[in-house]
Amino acid sequence: MAVPIAVLDCDLLLYGRGHRTLDRFKLEDVTDEYLVSTYGFPRQFIYYLVDLLGASLSRPTQRSRAISPETQILAALGFYTSGSFQTRMGDAIGISQASMSRCVANVTEALVERASQFIHFPEDEATVQSLKDDFYGLAGMPGVLGVVDCTHVAIKAPNAEDLSYVNRKGLHSLNCLMVCDARGVLLSAETHWPGSLPDCTVLQQAALTSQFETELHKDGWLLGDSSFFLRTWLMTPLHIPETPAEYRYNMAHSATHNVIERTFRTIRSRFRCLDGSKGTLQYSPEKSSHIILACCVLHNISLEHGLDVWSSPATGHMEQPEEEYEQMESMDSEACRVRQELLLTHFS
C-alpha cells in the first residue's frame, strides 16, 4: 500500500487538489512592476507565453484544479530569473516547491520544442542582406552573417567518475556554442557540450560547422576569436598584425565580435539561474542543457518584444575559462586567401 500512497501524494503536489491558495493569484490583480521584479517580465509578455505554450502545458486530468499554464509559466520564469526555488515565490502563486520544480520542467521542455522557431539563421536574401548591413554599420566589417563564441555554464557534478564536464578551472560546466546577430538575437545555440572540450573542438564537432560547410551562404562568414581556427566561412583575427590594413582589420573584427560578449552578459543578467551567483544548475547535463536553451529562446522572444536589448553586466561566479590554443591558420590555404582578399578589398 505504501507505493500507491506515495504516487498519490506526488500527484496531489502536481495538480494541487485541495490547495486553498492555488487559484488566488491572478495576473490582473498585480502591477507590471511586481511582475517584473518577481518574475522578470511584464504582463503582456507573460500573456504571450501563455498563448504560445498553453496547449503544451494543458494536460488532460480528471481533477478540476490542475495547475494552469499561467501558473506554470510564472513558476518557471521565477526560477529562470532568480536561480532558486524560493518558498515565498511558490507561496505567491499557491503551489509547493515540488510543484514549482515540475512546472519548470514542463515549461522548459515546451520552450525547447520551439527552439528552432525562434533560434535560426535567416534564409531569404533581403533578410540576409539586412543582417550584413547591420554588422557593417558597427565597425565596417563586410559580409558578416553572425558572431560566434563559447560560454561556460556551471552544473553540478554528474558523478565522481565522469571528468568530461570538468573545465580548465576545475569546475563542472557545459560549454555552450552560440551565434548572434548585431542586435544580440541568437541565430544558433548548442548548449550540450561538456565543459572539458576546448572551444575549437566544440566548433569542429558542432552542427553549426556542418551547416556552414554544406548548406549555408557562400558569400559571407561568421566572426570568431582566436580560440577558433580560420576557415573560409569563419574569419578570425590576425595573430601578429604588421601592416596598417591588418591593424584596421583586427580593430573592426574586435569591435564587431564584441556583440557576442555583450549578449552573453545580457543573458546571464536576465536569467540568474545561469550566472553562478545562486550556485550551479542542480540537474543532469541533459536537463541543464535544456534549461540553458529555454533561456536562449526566451532571450530571443524578449528581443522580439523590445525588452532590454542590452542589460548591465551580471556579477556571476562562472567565467569563461581561458583557452590555450596554437595559431594554425596556414593549415587552410583557401581560408587564408579569403581573408587576405578581404584585407586588400576593404582595409587597405
Side-chain angles (χ1 to χ4, degrees), residues 257-273:
H257 187 266
N258 186 53
V259 173
I260 191 73
E261 298 300 332
R262 296 171 68 190
T263 299
F264 289 156
R265 291 197 297 269
T266 297
I267 293 172
R268 291 181 186 278
S269 178
R270 167 159 274 156
F271 303 107
R272 303 307 293 268
C273 68

Side-chain angles (χ1 to χ4, degrees), residues 66-99:
I67 299 177
S68 68
E70 181 179 289
T71 300
Q72 292 185 61
I73 288 168
L74 288 172
L77 291 179
F79 168 70
Y80 297 148
T81 58
S82 73
S84 64
F85 292 111
Q86 301 177 37
T87 301
R88 66 173 181 83
M89 190 170 294
D91 289 344
I93 53 178
I95 62 174
S96 67
Q97 184 170 324
S99 292

Side-chain angles (χ1 to χ4, degrees), residues 34-35 104 179 197:
Y34 172 80
L35 291 172
V104 170
V179 180
L197 293 181

Side-chain angles (χ1 to χ4, degrees), residues 40 44 80 93 219 252 295:
Q44 291 305 315
Y80 297 148
I93 53 178
D219 56 345
C295 290

Side-chain angles (χ1 to χ4, degrees), residues 14 41 45-46 49-50 52-54 56-59 67-80 85 93 95 99-115 271 287 290-295 297-298 301:
L14 174 60
F41 294 95
F45 184 87
I46 296 170
L49 292 181
V50 172
L52 177 69
L53 307 178
S56 298
L57 300 177
S58 298
R59 303 192 173 203
I67 299 177
S68 68
E70 181 179 289
T71 300
Q72 292 185 61
I73 288 168
L74 288 172
L77 291 179
F79 168 70
Y80 297 148
F85 292 111
I93 53 178
I95 62 174
S99 292
M100 280 274 296
S101 180
R102 182 61 182 168
C103 289
V104 170
N106 290 343
V107 174
T108 295
E109 291 311 303
L111 288 168
V112 168
E113 289 172 1
R114 290 160 176 79
F271 303 107
K287 289 184 178 179
H290 285 186
I291 288 172
I292 300 167
L293 185 55
C295 290
V297 173
L298 287 173
I301 296 175

Side-chain angles (χ1 to χ4, degrees), residues 149-155 165-176 195-197 199 261 264-265 268 273-280 313-323:
D149 207 347
C150 289
T151 187
H152 286 252
V153 176
I155 63 172
Y165 292 91
V166 179
N167 62 38
R168 288 186 177 274
K169 292 191 173 182
L171 304 173
H172 290 82
S173 68
L174 289 168
N175 195 3
C176 305
S196 65
L197 293 181
D199 293 359
E261 298 300 332
F264 289 156
R265 291 197 297 269
R268 291 181 186 278
C273 68
L274 308 181
D275 79 349
S277 63
K278 300 292 184 179
T280 62
T315 56
H317 298 167
M318 171 58 75
E319 298 178 353
Q320 175 76 8
E322 294 182 1
E323 294 284 351

